Amino acid sequence: MPRTVSRRRATPSPEGVGPLLQDPPELVSRSGVLRATIVVERRKVQVGDRQLYATTYNGAYMPPTLRVRPGDRIDLTMTNKTDKYTNLHTHGLVVSPRAPADDIFISIKYGHSYHYAYQLPRDHPTGTYWYHSHADMLSAAQVAGGESGIVVDGLNRHLPPSLRHITEHTIALKDFQVEGDAIKTHPLSIGAPTNRTVNGQHNPVIRIRPGETQLWRLANIGANIYYKLHLPGTRFHVIAQDGVPVRRIHTEDTLLIPAAARFDVLVQGGAPGTARLETLPYNTGPAGNQFPRADLATVITGGTPMRRATIPSRFAPQEDLSRATISARKTMVYTENAAGTVFYINGRTFDANRTDFTSTLGTVEAWTIRNDSDEDHSFHLHTDHFQLMSTNGKAEDLSHSVYDTVNIPRRGSIVIRVHFTHFTGRTVLHCHILNHEDMGMMAVLDILPPRTRPRQMSGS
């Protein structure tokens, strides 16, 4: 069995502001293997300040973090004890899309179990990933209901020796709406009032000493909403995006985090005092939603000061596709109906039995993704990361431009390059606003071995 690292129970802060931040328990790989069991069931659990029915992993709204390293194997058994079919997606991991790995086309029915096996490449990027339901037409409801958790691996090896043993915190952002004594899962209105939590807690306290450097894993693992993170008096030194370490560390006052995106950041304590980790107002457009400002956590700086570390500028090697030979170019167009109830990619809604795009293993392609709607959407690609080349025609800084999920501005476009590196098989790309994915904004990509004719699927 994997080694389980327990975290302390949430306890009141000495300052009386709120509970101390509780990091999720961890299941840690041993001798290159992580064996884990995930049980999906509906239970009444602590969610924020309330006891509510939720769809839980292992009986918790904030389930165990899976801690693995490049080259590890994950053997995971999922058992479904709910009345809806479900499945599992290891978001951002570069693993095979074929069964029994990251095959999102399967359905695990009530009372059934499925044995997943994932082999991580030895050159797998180190950072923060997550796992969640990807059940067709049910992903928004199940993720909103609680079905999401964190996966991490050895990011610290890229830090200078003086920073390799600093305090780490998971800052997993989940939100919930309430219906009676349960988390509301259907119908979900993206713009409805919601309750934002950090690791399932309401406004927890994060302690840091003056001058201390901490590693925070910021992850939006909710179904639909955006976060625009800000911590007054503190800047975020970004060392990884969507699990991929950056070549050069960049420093930001605010971070826009669409659903599913992650940033690993270094933060440093300032003068003694109290500040609010907040999400600022964000408007996704006239056809979209307005998310108000909200407090997420209370950051208390105090205790014995520490010598402030120097943040390095260079960080980790990263593939740059800017001079790669382009084997093919593709265009994808996001649209939606006037009512905002049906969403399309290239004029078609998702059909698991249809192949929309084919690509070839070992090649690099250039894709243009255009958002022809009046609201922001996001773009997520399974199986491989991509390099963001430009947004609305403006070139990106290529020293930190690798992602698996990015925002596409309304009436805007992005250009990306994808290197198909390790795995073949049928996979998907989609908007990661899960309401939009469930209502059609997803397409099938078949990654083929070299010199292979495209497979013929019904409707293709």
Side-chain angles (χ1 to χ4, degrees), residues 153-451:
D153 52 22
L155 181 64
N156 287 7
R157 68 179 183 174
H158 298 295
L159 290 169
S162 61
L163 294 176
R164 286 180 187 168
H165 302 288
I166 59 177
T167 295
E168 294 184 24
H169 284 305
T170 295
I171 312 288
L173 306 170
K174 302 178 78 167
D175 75 289
F176 65 93
Q177 300 172 23
V178 178
E179 187 173 55
D181 63 350
I183 292 177
K184 186 175 183 178
T185 59
H186 184 79
L188 279 176
S189 173
I190 297 175
T194 193
N195 302 277
R196 302 185 189 231
T197 68
V198 175
N199 298 352
Q201 297 174 270
H202 174 68
N203 193 24
V205 168
I206 304 171
R207 302 295 303 269
I208 189 170
R209 293 160 63 181
E212 180 186 5
T213 303
Q214 294 186 357
L215 169 58
W216 290 4
R217 300 178 181 276
L218 307 171
N220 182 353
I221 62 171
N224 292 308
I225 72 173
Y226 283 68
Y227 290 79
K228 189 176 182 181
L229 288 194
H230 177 63
L231 179 58
T234 302
R235 305 187 77 192
F236 302 114
H237 304 283
V238 178
I239 62 174
Q241 299 166 173
D242 288 353
V244 181
V246 298
R247 276 193 290 153
R248 297 187 66 88
I249 294 175
H250 59 106
T251 301
E252 308 291 344
D253 289 315
T254 62
L255 289 172
L256 180 65
I257 312 182
R262 292 91 61 215
F263 289 91
D264 291 282
V265 302
L266 299 177
V267 296
Q268 295 185 304
T274 299
R276 304 286 185 180
L277 179 63
E278 61 183 345
T279 180
L280 300 176
Y282 188 72
N283 184 350
T284 65
N289 301 279
Q290 296 188 39
F291 300 114
R293 182 205 166 276
D295 288 333
L296 301 174
T298 301
V299 179
I300 297 177
T301 305
T304 305
M306 298 179 64
R307 184 176 180 179
R308 184 180 292 265
T310 299
I311 302 296
S313 56
R314 295 186 180 275
F315 191 61
Q318 187 182 86
E319 184 180 33
D320 180 10
L321 303 177
S322 60
R323 296 184 179 180
T325 299
I326 303 303
S327 66
R329 299 180 185 273
K330 293 180 171 64
T331 299
M332 300 160 200
V333 182
Y334 281 8
T335 55
E336 58 189 76
N337 68 353
T341 56
V342 184
F343 297 82
Y344 308 93
I345 295 178
N346 288 3
R348 299 205 277 190
T349 57
F350 175 67
D351 181 349
N353 295 313
R354 184 186 69 230
T355 295
D356 300 285
F357 304 100
T358 59
S359 299
T360 302
L361 186 69
T363 66
V364 175
E365 295 188 350
W367 296 1
T368 298
I369 302 101
R370 204 172 73 226
N371 179 3
D372 284 359
S373 76
D374 289 317
E375 65 174 314
D376 289 9
H377 289 288
S378 64
F379 174 81
H380 172 52
L381 175 65
H382 288 213
T383 308
D384 289 284
H385 289 85
F386 54 83
Q387 186 166 12
L388 179 63
M389 308 303 294
S390 65
T391 301
N392 288 345
K394 181 181 178 181
E396 295 287 333
D397 185 336
L398 299 183
S399 69
H400 53 84
S401 60
V402 178
Y403 298 87
D404 64 48
T405 306
V406 291
N407 188 57
I408 311 177
R410 53 197 176 271
R411 299 293 170 182
S413 65
I414 62 172
V415 175
I416 66 172
R417 292 187 176 187
V418 189
H419 186 191
F420 300 98
T421 56
H422 288 90
F423 301 105
T424 63
R426 299 182 77 240
T427 188
V428 292
L429 53 96
H430 58 88
C431 176
H432 217 289
I433 300 172
L434 294 184
N435 268 23
H436 300 171
E437 175 200 305
D438 283 346
M439 292 187 282
M441 196 169 270
M442 182 159 63
V444 175
L445 167 69
D446 196 356
I447 305 170
L448 302 173
R451 298 181 297 278

Side-chain angles (χ1 to χ4, degrees), residues 34-40 58 74-80 88 108 112-118:
L34 175 62
R35 292 184 174 89
T37 298
I38 299 291
V39 178
V40 188
N58 290 2
I74 304 173
D75 288 341
L76 188 150
T77 299
M78 171 166 274
T79 299
N80 183 15
L88 191 72
I108 307 171
H112 289 227
S113 295
Y114 188 83
H115 302 281
Y116 287 96
Y118 312 91

